[in-house]
Amino acid sequence: MEAKVVNKEAFKAIGVKWVGTFEQAAKGEIKVFHKNFLNSKKQINNAVNPENILGLSYHITDNGFTYYLALEVEEGTTTPEGMEFISVPACTFATTEYKGATVHEAYTALYTWIKQNGYNLSQSDLEHLEEYPGSFDPVIDVPELKINIPIKGI
């Protein structure tokens, strides 16, 4: 696994929200949610890059989390009905690109890399930022994504 540290500027996004448990996600609800988003993303105007799907995980609890699938948008973009506006602050991330069937192992390896390199996890609400290619079909394709975990310096 190749990991690196990147700084991302603050950005705005519009997308859809899923709230559930880790068990529900493991049973495939996120895949169906992702597939549905691909069919509705054309409703989002002024996307900065419509082929970069963002997955934002927030409020991790003992058994669940809130997950958004979204597109980065230009300032002032109108939020379509049934979607939500998300404001993401500037952040430093540990990041790696991954393609394979065991995404959880990539996360584990990145968390290990963070610790081994003397970084700490950031204390923000954002737990993970995933980036998927627009052509990725979550139901039939092997997972392909960039994993970003917020960190702070030593």
Side-chain angles (χ1 to χ4, degrees), residues 79-118:
T79 304
E81 187 174 331
M83 294 193 180
E84 297 197 21
F85 177 82
I86 307 136
S87 182
V88 181
C91 195
T92 300
F93 291 96
T95 186
T96 190
E97 292 188 20
Y98 178 77
K99 183 172 185 176
T102 53
V103 176
H104 66 281
E105 290 178 8
Y107 269 98
T108 300
L110 188 54
Y111 278 114
T112 300
W113 183 90
I114 290 167
K115 185 176 181 180
Q116 289 174 342
N117 285 275

PDB file of all heavy atoms in Angstrom, residues 79-118:
ATOM      1  N   THR A  79     -29.770  23.135  -4.318  1.00  0.00           N
ATOM      2  CA  THR A  79     -29.883  21.737  -3.896  1.00  0.00           C
ATOM      3  C   THR A  79     -31.199  21.149  -4.413  1.00  0.00           C
ATOM      4  O   THR A  79     -32.273  21.646  -4.074  1.00  0.00           O
ATOM      5  CB  THR A  79     -29.840  21.632  -2.356  1.00  0.00           C
ATOM      6  OG1 THR A  79     -28.642  22.257  -1.881  1.00  0.00           O
ATOM      7  CG2 THR A  79     -29.863  20.188  -1.904  1.00  0.00           C
ATOM      8  N   PRO A  80     -31.130  20.094  -5.230  1.00  0.00           N
ATOM      9  CA  PRO A  80     -32.364  19.470  -5.720  1.00  0.00           C
ATOM     10  C   PRO A  80     -33.189  18.881  -4.573  1.00  0.00           C
ATOM     11  O   PRO A  80     -32.644  18.491  -3.538  1.00  0.00           O
ATOM     12  CB  PRO A  80     -31.859  18.349  -6.638  1.00  0.00           C
ATOM     13  CG  PRO A  80     -30.463  18.726  -6.991  1.00  0.00           C
ATOM     14  CD  PRO A  80     -29.938  19.465  -5.802  1.00  0.00           C
ATOM     15  N   GLU A  81     -34.487  18.787  -4.794  1.00  0.00           N
ATOM     16  CA  GLU A  81     -35.378  18.206  -3.792  1.00  0.00           C
ATOM     17  C   GLU A  81     -34.956  16.769  -3.496  1.00  0.00           C
ATOM     18  O   GLU A  81     -34.594  16.009  -4.392  1.00  0.00           O
ATOM     19  CB  GLU A  81     -36.817  18.221  -4.313  1.00  0.00           C
ATOM     20  CG  GLU A  81     -37.826  17.803  -3.278  1.00  0.00           C
ATOM     21  CD  GLU A  81     -39.258  17.953  -3.772  1.00  0.00           C
ATOM     22  OE1 GLU A  81     -39.519  18.828  -4.608  1.00  0.00           O
ATOM     23  OE2 GLU A  81     -40.088  17.177  -3.298  1.00  0.00           O
ATOM     24  N   GLY A  82     -34.948  16.417  -2.211  1.00  0.00           N
ATOM     25  CA  GLY A  82     -34.566  15.079  -1.791  1.00  0.00           C
ATOM     26  C   GLY A  82     -33.078  14.901  -1.586  1.00  0.00           C
ATOM     27  O   GLY A  82     -32.624  13.814  -1.214  1.00  0.00           O
ATOM     28  N   MET A  83     -32.306  15.955  -1.814  1.00  0.00           N
ATOM     29  CA  MET A  83     -30.856  15.895  -1.614  1.00  0.00           C
ATOM     30  C   MET A  83     -30.456  16.869  -0.517  1.00  0.00           C
ATOM     31  O   MET A  83     -31.269  17.652  -0.057  1.00  0.00           O
ATOM     32  CB  MET A  83     -30.123  16.195  -2.921  1.00  0.00           C
ATOM     33  CG  MET A  83     -30.352  15.149  -3.979  1.00  0.00           C
ATOM     34  SD  MET A  83     -29.192  15.334  -5.338  1.00  0.00           S
ATOM     35  CE  MET A  83     -29.708  13.997  -6.390  1.00  0.00           C
ATOM     36  N   GLU A  84     -29.195  16.785  -0.117  1.00  0.00           N
ATOM     37  CA  GLU A  84     -28.705  17.633   0.961  1.00  0.00           C
ATOM     38  C   GLU A  84     -27.429  18.362   0.547  1.00  0.00           C
ATOM     39  O   GLU A  84     -26.647  17.859  -0.253  1.00  0.00           O
ATOM     40  CB  GLU A  84     -28.436  16.796   2.212  1.00  0.00           C
ATOM     41  CG  GLU A  84     -29.705  16.155   2.737  1.00  0.00           C
ATOM     42  CD  GLU A  84     -29.578  15.662   4.159  1.00  0.00           C
ATOM     43  OE1 GLU A  84     -28.688  16.124   4.889  1.00  0.00           O
ATOM     44  OE2 GLU A  84     -30.393  14.812   4.535  1.00  0.00           O
ATOM     45  N   PHE A  85     -27.240  19.516   1.149  1.00  0.00           N
ATOM     46  CA  PHE A  85     -26.046  20.341   0.950  1.00  0.00           C
ATOM     47  C   PHE A  85     -25.054  19.974   2.051  1.00  0.00           C
ATOM     48  O   PHE A  85     -25.425  19.883   3.224  1.00  0.00           O
ATOM     49  CB  PHE A  85     -26.426  21.820   1.032  1.00  0.00           C
ATOM     50  CG  PHE A  85     -25.260  22.750   0.910  1.00  0.00           C
ATOM     51  CD1 PHE A  85     -24.768  23.080  -0.335  1.00  0.00           C
ATOM     52  CD2 PHE A  85     -24.657  23.275   2.040  1.00  0.00           C
ATOM     53  CE1 PHE A  85     -23.683  23.939  -0.451  1.00  0.00           C
ATOM     54  CE2 PHE A  85     -23.577  24.131   1.935  1.00  0.00           C
ATOM     55  CZ  PHE A  85     -23.091  24.462   0.682  1.00  0.00           C
ATOM     56  N   ILE A  86     -23.798  19.774   1.682  1.00  0.00           N
ATOM     57  CA  ILE A  86     -22.760  19.393   2.638  1.00  0.00           C
ATOM     58  C   ILE A  86     -21.592  20.362   2.485  1.00  0.00           C
ATOM     59  O   ILE A  86     -21.112  20.595   1.374  1.00  0.00           O
ATOM     60  CB  ILE A  86     -22.262  17.955   2.377  1.00  0.00           C
ATOM     61  CG1 ILE A  86     -23.443  16.976   2.337  1.00  0.00           C
ATOM     62  CG2 ILE A  86     -21.254  17.520   3.425  1.00  0.00           C
ATOM     63  CD1 ILE A  86     -23.382  15.998   1.221  1.00  0.00           C
ATOM     64  N   SER A  87     -21.144  20.909   3.597  1.00  0.00           N
ATOM     65  CA  SER A  87     -19.987  21.795   3.605  1.00  0.00           C
ATOM     66  C   SER A  87     -18.834  21.052   4.274  1.00  0.00           C
ATOM     67  O   SER A  87     -18.940  20.630   5.432  1.00  0.00           O
ATOM     68  CB  SER A  87     -20.320  23.077   4.372  1.00  0.00           C
ATOM     69  OG  SER A  87     -19.221  23.946   4.345  1.00  0.00           O
ATOM     70  N   VAL A  88     -17.745  20.883   3.546  1.00  0.00           N
ATOM     71  CA  VAL A  88     -16.593  20.144   4.062  1.00  0.00           C
ATOM     72  C   VAL A  88     -15.451  21.134   4.271  1.00  0.00           C
ATOM     73  O   VAL A  88     -15.025  21.801   3.328  1.00  0.00           O
ATOM     74  CB  VAL A  88     -16.176  19.022   3.085  1.00  0.00           C
ATOM     75  CG1 VAL A  88     -14.993  18.244   3.627  1.00  0.00           C
ATOM     76  CG2 VAL A  88     -17.357  18.090   2.801  1.00  0.00           C
ATOM     77  N   PRO A  89     -14.943  21.246   5.511  1.00  0.00           N
ATOM     78  CA  PRO A  89     -13.858  22.194   5.777  1.00  0.00           C
ATOM     79  C   PRO A  89     -12.518  21.720   5.193  1.00  0.00           C
ATOM     80  O   PRO A  89     -12.365  20.532   4.879  1.00  0.00           O
ATOM     81  CB  PRO A  89     -13.802  22.231   7.307  1.00  0.00           C
ATOM     82  CG  PRO A  89     -14.330  20.905   7.737  1.00  0.00           C
ATOM     83  CD  PRO A  89     -15.353  20.509   6.700  1.00  0.00           C
ATOM     84  N   ALA A  90     -11.590  22.636   5.075  1.00  0.00           N
ATOM     85  CA  ALA A  90     -10.238  22.276   4.651  1.00  0.00           C
ATOM     86  C   ALA A  90      -9.691  21.245   5.639  1.00  0.00           C
ATOM     87  O   ALA A  90      -9.988  21.292   6.828  1.00  0.00           O
ATOM     88  CB  ALA A  90      -9.350  23.513   4.619  1.00  0.00           C
ATOM     89  N   CYS A  91      -8.909  20.315   5.126  1.00  0.00           N
ATOM     90  CA  CYS A  91      -8.440  19.233   5.983  1.00  0.00           C
ATOM     91  C   CYS A  91      -7.160  18.623   5.422  1.00  0.00           C
ATOM     92  O   CYS A  91      -6.916  18.664   4.219  1.00  0.00           O
ATOM     93  CB  CYS A  91      -9.536  18.161   6.070  1.00  0.00           C
ATOM     94  SG  CYS A  91      -9.317  16.978   7.386  1.00  0.00           S
ATOM     95  N   THR A  92      -6.385  18.030   6.314  1.00  0.00           N
ATOM     96  CA  THR A  92      -5.228  17.236   5.926  1.00  0.00           C
ATOM     97  C   THR A  92      -5.641  15.772   6.024  1.00  0.00           C
ATOM     98  O   THR A  92      -6.254  15.360   7.015  1.00  0.00           O
ATOM     99  CB  THR A  92      -4.036  17.515   6.861  1.00  0.00           C
ATOM    100  OG1 THR A  92      -3.711  18.910   6.771  1.00  0.00           O
ATOM    101  CG2 THR A  92      -2.829  16.688   6.482  1.00  0.00           C
ATOM    102  N   PHE A  93      -5.314  15.001   4.995  1.00  0.00           N
ATOM    103  CA  PHE A  93      -5.724  13.601   4.946  1.00  0.00           C
ATOM    104  C   PHE A  93      -4.527  12.683   4.738  1.00  0.00           C
ATOM    105  O   PHE A  93      -3.588  13.023   4.016  1.00  0.00           O
ATOM    106  CB  PHE A  93      -6.661  13.349   3.760  1.00  0.00           C
ATOM    107  CG  PHE A  93      -8.010  13.973   3.874  1.00  0.00           C
ATOM    108  CD1 PHE A  93      -8.275  15.197   3.280  1.00  0.00           C
ATOM    109  CD2 PHE A  93      -9.038  13.328   4.543  1.00  0.00           C
ATOM    110  CE1 PHE A  93      -9.541  15.770   3.363  1.00  0.00           C
ATOM    111  CE2 PHE A  93     -10.302  13.883   4.630  1.00  0.00           C
ATOM    112  CZ  PHE A  93     -10.557  15.104   4.043  1.00  0.00           C
ATOM    113  N   ALA A  94      -4.598  11.504   5.332  1.00  0.00           N
ATOM    114  CA  ALA A  94      -3.774  10.378   4.907  1.00  0.00           C
ATOM    115  C   ALA A  94      -4.589   9.734   3.803  1.00  0.00           C
ATOM    116  O   ALA A  94      -5.803   9.518   3.953  1.00  0.00           O
ATOM    117  CB  ALA A  94      -3.542   9.409   6.050  1.00  0.00           C
ATOM    118  N   THR A  95      -3.964   9.444   2.684  1.00  0.00           N
ATOM    119  CA  THR A  95      -4.724   8.942   1.538  1.00  0.00           C
ATOM    120  C   THR A  95      -4.015   7.784   0.849  1.00  0.00           C
ATOM    121  O   THR A  95      -2.777   7.699   0.855  1.00  0.00           O
ATOM    122  CB  THR A  95      -4.997  10.091   0.535  1.00  0.00           C
ATOM    123  OG1 THR A  95      -5.854   9.629  -0.492  1.00  0.00           O
ATOM    124  CG2 THR A  95      -3.723  10.622  -0.071  1.00  0.00           C
ATOM    125  N   THR A  96      -4.816   6.906   0.281  1.00  0.00           N
ATOM    126  CA  THR A  96      -4.296   5.804  -0.519  1.00  0.00           C
ATOM    127  C   THR A  96      -5.334   5.427  -1.567  1.00  0.00           C
ATOM    128  O   THR A  96      -6.530   5.663  -1.367  1.00  0.00           O
ATOM    129  CB  THR A  96      -3.942   4.565   0.351  1.00  0.00           C
ATOM    130  OG1 THR A  96      -3.235   3.615  -0.443  1.00  0.00           O
ATOM    131  CG2 THR A  96      -5.182   3.920   0.950  1.00  0.00           C
ATOM    132  N   GLU A  97      -4.866   4.874  -2.673  1.00  0.00           N
ATOM    133  CA  GLU A  97      -5.784   4.378  -3.700  1.00  0.00           C
ATOM    134  C   GLU A  97      -5.883   2.878  -3.540  1.00  0.00           C
ATOM    135  O   GLU A  97      -4.904   2.204  -3.206  1.00  0.00           O
ATOM    136  CB  GLU A  97      -5.280   4.757  -5.088  1.00  0.00           C
ATOM    137  CG  GLU A  97      -5.350   6.253  -5.303  1.00  0.00           C
ATOM    138  CD  GLU A  97      -5.052   6.674  -6.726  1.00  0.00           C
ATOM    139  OE1 GLU A  97      -5.149   5.830  -7.646  1.00  0.00           O
ATOM    140  OE2 GLU A  97      -4.732   7.858  -6.903  1.00  0.00           O
ATOM    141  N   TYR A  98      -7.095   2.351  -3.773  1.00  0.00           N
ATOM    142  CA  TYR A  98      -7.327   0.930  -3.549  1.00  0.00           C
ATOM    143  C   TYR A  98      -8.241   0.351  -4.617  1.00  0.00           C
ATOM    144  O   TYR A  98      -9.220   0.973  -5.018  1.00  0.00           O
ATOM    145  CB  TYR A  98      -7.961   0.706  -2.167  1.00  0.00           C
ATOM    146  CG  TYR A  98      -8.267  -0.744  -1.909  1.00  0.00           C
ATOM    147  CD1 TYR A  98      -7.257  -1.633  -1.573  1.00  0.00           C
ATOM    148  CD2 TYR A  98      -9.552  -1.232  -2.064  1.00  0.00           C
ATOM    149  CE1 TYR A  98      -7.521  -2.976  -1.374  1.00  0.00           C
ATOM    150  CE2 TYR A  98      -9.826  -2.583  -1.871  1.00  0.00           C
ATOM    151  CZ  TYR A  98      -8.808  -3.447  -1.530  1.00  0.00           C
ATOM    152  OH  TYR A  98      -9.072  -4.773  -1.344  1.00  0.00           O
ATOM    153  N   LYS A  99      -7.922  -0.875  -5.032  1.00  0.00           N
ATOM    154  CA  LYS A  99      -8.825  -1.648  -5.891  1.00  0.00           C
ATOM    155  C   LYS A  99      -8.729  -3.093  -5.422  1.00  0.00           C
ATOM    156  O   LYS A  99      -7.644  -3.659  -5.366  1.00  0.00           O
ATOM    157  CB  LYS A  99      -8.434  -1.540  -7.368  1.00  0.00           C
ATOM    158  CG  LYS A  99      -9.421  -2.278  -8.263  1.00  0.00           C
ATOM    159  CD  LYS A  99      -9.175  -2.020  -9.733  1.00  0.00           C
ATOM    160  CE  LYS A  99     -10.264  -2.696 -10.560  1.00  0.00           C
ATOM    161  NZ  LYS A  99     -10.139  -2.406 -11.967  1.00  0.00           N
ATOM    162  N   GLY A 100      -9.871  -3.653  -5.049  1.00  0.00           N
ATOM    163  CA  GLY A 100      -9.899  -5.032  -4.564  1.00  0.00           C
ATOM    164  C   GLY A 100     -11.172  -5.309  -3.798  1.00  0.00           C
ATOM    165  O   GLY A 100     -11.981  -4.417  -3.559  1.00  0.00           O
ATOM    166  N   ALA A 101     -11.322  -6.552  -3.383  1.00  0.00           N
ATOM    167  CA  ALA A 101     -12.568  -6.978  -2.756  1.00  0.00           C
ATOM    168  C   ALA A 101     -12.614  -6.731  -1.247  1.00  0.00           C
ATOM    169  O   ALA A 101     -13.674  -6.779  -0.656  1.00  0.00           O
ATOM    170  CB  ALA A 101     -12.803  -8.460  -3.038  1.00  0.00           C
ATOM    171  N   THR A 102     -11.484  -6.470  -0.617  1.00  0.00           N
ATOM    172  CA  THR A 102     -11.453  -6.356   0.846  1.00  0.00           C
ATOM    173  C   THR A 102     -11.093  -4.926   1.265  1.00  0.00           C
ATOM    174  O   THR A 102      -9.990  -4.662   1.747  1.00  0.00           O
ATOM    175  CB  THR A 102     -10.465  -7.363   1.451  1.00  0.00           C
ATOM    176  OG1 THR A 102      -9.195  -7.198   0.815  1.00  0.00           O
ATOM    177  CG2 THR A 102     -10.941  -8.793   1.240  1.00  0.00           C
ATOM    178  N   VAL A 103     -12.044  -4.028   1.097  1.00  0.00           N
ATOM    179  CA  VAL A 103     -11.814  -2.617   1.393  1.00  0.00           C
ATOM    180  C   VAL A 103     -11.442  -2.409   2.854  1.00  0.00           C
ATOM    181  O   VAL A 103     -10.583  -1.579   3.178  1.00  0.00           O
ATOM    182  CB  VAL A 103     -13.052  -1.772   1.015  1.00  0.00           C
ATOM    183  CG1 VAL A 103     -12.873  -0.317   1.409  1.00  0.00           C
ATOM    184  CG2 VAL A 103     -13.336  -1.890  -0.472  1.00  0.00           C
ATOM    185  N   HIS A 104     -12.040  -3.184   3.762  1.00  0.00           N
ATOM    186  CA  HIS A 104     -11.741  -3.020   5.192  1.00  0.00           C
ATOM    187  C   HIS A 104     -10.255  -3.236   5.480  1.00  0.00           C
ATOM    188  O   HIS A 104      -9.696  -2.594   6.364  1.00  0.00           O
ATOM    189  CB  HIS A 104     -12.619  -3.939   6.053  1.00  0.00           C
ATOM    190  CG  HIS A 104     -12.349  -5.399   5.871  1.00  0.00           C
ATOM    191  ND1 HIS A 104     -12.827  -6.102   4.796  1.00  0.00           N
ATOM    192  CD2 HIS A 104     -11.637  -6.264   6.619  1.00  0.00           C
ATOM    193  CE1 HIS A 104     -12.422  -7.358   4.889  1.00  0.00           C
ATOM    194  NE2 HIS A 104     -11.697  -7.484   5.982  1.00  0.00           N
ATOM    195  N   GLU A 105      -9.595  -4.109   4.719  1.00  0.00           N
ATOM    196  CA  GLU A 105      -8.159  -4.327   4.913  1.00  0.00           C
ATOM    197  C   GLU A 105      -7.357  -3.096   4.493  1.00  0.00           C
ATOM    198  O   GLU A 105      -6.338  -2.769   5.101  1.00  0.00           O
ATOM    199  CB  GLU A 105      -7.695  -5.562   4.149  1.00  0.00           C
ATOM    200  CG  GLU A 105      -8.213  -6.848   4.762  1.00  0.00           C
ATOM    201  CD  GLU A 105      -7.794  -8.091   3.994  1.00  0.00           C
ATOM    202  OE1 GLU A 105      -6.971  -7.987   3.048  1.00  0.00           O
ATOM    203  OE2 GLU A 105      -8.302  -9.177   4.342  1.00  0.00           O
ATOM    204  N   ALA A 106      -7.814  -2.401   3.454  1.00  0.00           N
ATOM    205  CA  ALA A 106      -7.142  -1.167   3.032  1.00  0.00           C
ATOM    206  C   ALA A 106      -7.278  -0.099   4.111  1.00  0.00           C
ATOM    207  O   ALA A 106      -6.324   0.638   4.388  1.00  0.00           O
ATOM    208  CB  ALA A 106      -7.711  -0.678   1.709  1.00  0.00           C
ATOM    209  N   TYR A 107      -8.456  -0.008   4.712  1.00  0.00           N
ATOM    210  CA  TYR A 107      -8.649   0.935   5.820  1.00  0.00           C
ATOM    211  C   TYR A 107      -7.728   0.596   6.986  1.00  0.00           C
ATOM    212  O   TYR A 107      -7.082   1.477   7.557  1.00  0.00           O
ATOM    213  CB  TYR A 107     -10.114   0.933   6.290  1.00  0.00           C
ATOM    214  CG  TYR A 107     -10.968   1.939   5.585  1.00  0.00           C
ATOM    215  CD1 TYR A 107     -11.775   1.573   4.512  1.00  0.00           C
ATOM    216  CD2 TYR A 107     -10.986   3.269   5.986  1.00  0.00           C
ATOM    217  CE1 TYR A 107     -12.569   2.503   3.858  1.00  0.00           C
ATOM    218  CE2 TYR A 107     -11.778   4.203   5.332  1.00  0.00           C
ATOM    219  CZ  TYR A 107     -12.566   3.805   4.278  1.00  0.00           C
ATOM    220  OH  TYR A 107     -13.346   4.737   3.643  1.00  0.00           O
ATOM    221  N   THR A 108      -7.662  -0.677   7.348  1.00  0.00           N
ATOM    222  CA  THR A 108      -6.798  -1.109   8.454  1.00  0.00           C
ATOM    223  C   THR A 108      -5.348  -0.755   8.168  1.00  0.00           C
ATOM    224  O   THR A 108      -4.635  -0.238   9.032  1.00  0.00           O
ATOM    225  CB  THR A 108      -6.956  -2.624   8.694  1.00  0.00           C
ATOM    226  OG1 THR A 108      -8.321  -2.887   9.032  1.00  0.00           O
ATOM    227  CG2 THR A 108      -6.050  -3.103   9.818  1.00  0.00           C
ATOM    228  N   ALA A 109      -4.899  -1.008   6.944  1.00  0.00           N
ATOM    229  CA  ALA A 109      -3.516  -0.695   6.570  1.00  0.00           C
ATOM    230  C   ALA A 109      -3.261   0.813   6.632  1.00  0.00           C
ATOM    231  O   ALA A 109      -2.193   1.253   7.081  1.00  0.00           O
ATOM    232  CB  ALA A 109      -3.219  -1.228   5.168  1.00  0.00           C
ATOM    233  N   LEU A 110      -4.222   1.627   6.215  1.00  0.00           N
ATOM    234  CA  LEU A 110      -4.035   3.080   6.251  1.00  0.00           C
ATOM    235  C   LEU A 110      -4.007   3.585   7.691  1.00  0.00           C
ATOM    236  O   LEU A 110      -3.192   4.445   8.035  1.00  0.00           O
ATOM    237  CB  LEU A 110      -5.109   3.786   5.432  1.00  0.00           C
ATOM    238  CG  LEU A 110      -4.915   5.287   5.220  1.00  0.00           C
ATOM    239  CD1 LEU A 110      -3.533   5.625   4.623  1.00  0.00           C
ATOM    240  CD2 LEU A 110      -6.017   5.844   4.317  1.00  0.00           C
ATOM    241  N   TYR A 111      -4.873   3.063   8.555  1.00  0.00           N
ATOM    242  CA  TYR A 111      -4.823   3.436   9.972  1.00  0.00           C
ATOM    243  C   TYR A 111      -3.478   3.052  10.592  1.00  0.00           C
ATOM    244  O   TYR A 111      -2.909   3.808  11.381  1.00  0.00           O
ATOM    245  CB  TYR A 111      -5.969   2.781  10.754  1.00  0.00           C
ATOM    246  CG  TYR A 111      -7.275   3.521  10.655  1.00  0.00           C
ATOM    247  CD1 TYR A 111      -8.370   2.959  10.014  1.00  0.00           C
ATOM    248  CD2 TYR A 111      -7.421   4.792  11.211  1.00  0.00           C
ATOM    249  CE1 TYR A 111      -9.577   3.637   9.912  1.00  0.00           C
ATOM    250  CE2 TYR A 111      -8.626   5.475  11.125  1.00  0.00           C
ATOM    251  CZ  TYR A 111      -9.693   4.892  10.469  1.00  0.00           C
ATOM    252  OH  TYR A 111     -10.887   5.573  10.371  1.00  0.00           O
ATOM    253  N   THR A 112      -2.942   1.896  10.218  1.00  0.00           N
ATOM    254  CA  THR A 112      -1.625   1.471  10.710  1.00  0.00           C
ATOM    255  C   THR A 112      -0.548   2.434  10.221  1.00  0.00           C
ATOM    256  O   THR A 112       0.333   2.854  10.978  1.00  0.00           O
ATOM    257  CB  THR A 112      -1.324   0.031  10.251  1.00  0.00           C
ATOM    258  OG1 THR A 112      -2.327  -0.836  10.785  1.00  0.00           O
ATOM    259  CG2 THR A 112       0.055  -0.422  10.713  1.00  0.00           C
ATOM    260  N   TRP A 113      -0.610   2.823   8.947  1.00  0.00           N
ATOM    261  CA  TRP A 113       0.351   3.764   8.373  1.00  0.00           C
ATOM    262  C   TRP A 113       0.306   5.095   9.126  1.00  0.00           C
ATOM    263  O   TRP A 113       1.346   5.683   9.421  1.00  0.00           O
ATOM    264  CB  TRP A 113       0.058   3.964   6.884  1.00  0.00           C
ATOM    265  CG  TRP A 113       1.033   4.860   6.188  1.00  0.00           C
ATOM    266  CD1 TRP A 113       2.191   4.484   5.576  1.00  0.00           C
ATOM    267  CD2 TRP A 113       0.947   6.280   6.063  1.00  0.00           C
ATOM    268  NE1 TRP A 113       2.819   5.592   5.059  1.00  0.00           N
ATOM    269  CE2 TRP A 113       2.093   6.710   5.347  1.00  0.00           C
ATOM    270  CE3 TRP A 113       0.032   7.239   6.474  1.00  0.00           C
ATOM    271  CZ2 TRP A 113       2.325   8.042   5.044  1.00  0.00           C
ATOM    272  CZ3 TRP A 113       0.265   8.563   6.174  1.00  0.00           C
ATOM    273  CH2 TRP A 113       1.393   8.961   5.467  1.00  0.00           C
ATOM    274  N   ILE A 114      -0.893   5.572   9.430  1.00  0.00           N
ATOM    275  CA  ILE A 114      -1.054   6.837  10.160  1.00  0.00           C
ATOM    276  C   ILE A 114      -0.315   6.758  11.497  1.00  0.00           C
ATOM    277  O   ILE A 114       0.468   7.642  11.844  1.00  0.00           O
ATOM    278  CB  ILE A 114      -2.553   7.157  10.368  1.00  0.00           C
ATOM    279  CG1 ILE A 114      -3.203   7.536   9.039  1.00  0.00           C
ATOM    280  CG2 ILE A 114      -2.746   8.269  11.409  1.00  0.00           C
ATOM    281  CD1 ILE A 114      -4.734   7.559   9.072  1.00  0.00           C
ATOM    282  N   LYS A 115      -0.546   5.683  12.236  1.00  0.00           N
ATOM    283  CA  LYS A 115       0.082   5.511  13.553  1.00  0.00           C
ATOM    284  C   LYS A 115       1.598   5.373  13.428  1.00  0.00           C
ATOM    285  O   LYS A 115       2.354   6.009  14.169  1.00  0.00           O
ATOM    286  CB  LYS A 115      -0.519   4.285  14.248  1.00  0.00           C
ATOM    287  CG  LYS A 115      -0.033   4.086  15.653  1.00  0.00           C
ATOM    288  CD  LYS A 115      -0.740   2.923  16.320  1.00  0.00           C
ATOM    289  CE  LYS A 115      -0.246   2.776  17.745  1.00  0.00           C
ATOM    290  NZ  LYS A 115      -0.916   1.659  18.427  1.00  0.00           N
ATOM    291  N   GLN A 116       2.059   4.553  12.486  1.00  0.00           N
ATOM    292  CA  GLN A 116       3.488   4.320  12.305  1.00  0.00           C
ATOM    293  C   GLN A 116       4.242   5.581  11.898  1.00  0.00           C
ATOM    294  O   GLN A 116       5.429   5.709  12.157  1.00  0.00           O
ATOM    295  CB  GLN A 116       3.731   3.225  11.269  1.00  0.00           C
ATOM    296  CG  GLN A 116       3.363   1.854  11.745  1.00  0.00           C
ATOM    297  CD  GLN A 116       3.483   0.798  10.663  1.00  0.00           C
ATOM    298  OE1 GLN A 116       3.519   1.098   9.462  1.00  0.00           O
ATOM    299  NE2 GLN A 116       3.516  -0.460  11.068  1.00  0.00           N
ATOM    300  N   ASN A 117       3.547   6.519  11.244  1.00  0.00           N
ATOM    301  CA  ASN A 117       4.193   7.740  10.789  1.00  0.00           C
ATOM    302  C   ASN A 117       3.988   8.917  11.741  1.00  0.00           C
ATOM    303  O   ASN A 117       4.304  10.056  11.395  1.00  0.00           O
ATOM    304  CB  ASN A 117       3.724   8.073   9.376  1.00  0.00           C
ATOM    305  CG  ASN A 117       4.374   7.157   8.358  1.00  0.00           C
ATOM    306  OD1 ASN A 117       5.477   7.418   7.902  1.00  0.00           O
ATOM    307  ND2 ASN A 117       3.719   6.051   8.039  1.00  0.00           N
ATOM    308  N   GLY A 118       3.462   8.633  12.926  1.00  0.00           N
ATOM    309  CA  GLY A 118       3.374   9.644  13.969  1.00  0.00           C
ATOM    310  C   GLY A 118       2.232  10.630  13.846  1.00  0.00           C
ATOM    311  O   GLY A 118       2.238  11.669  14.511  1.00  0.00           O
TER     312      GLY A 118
END
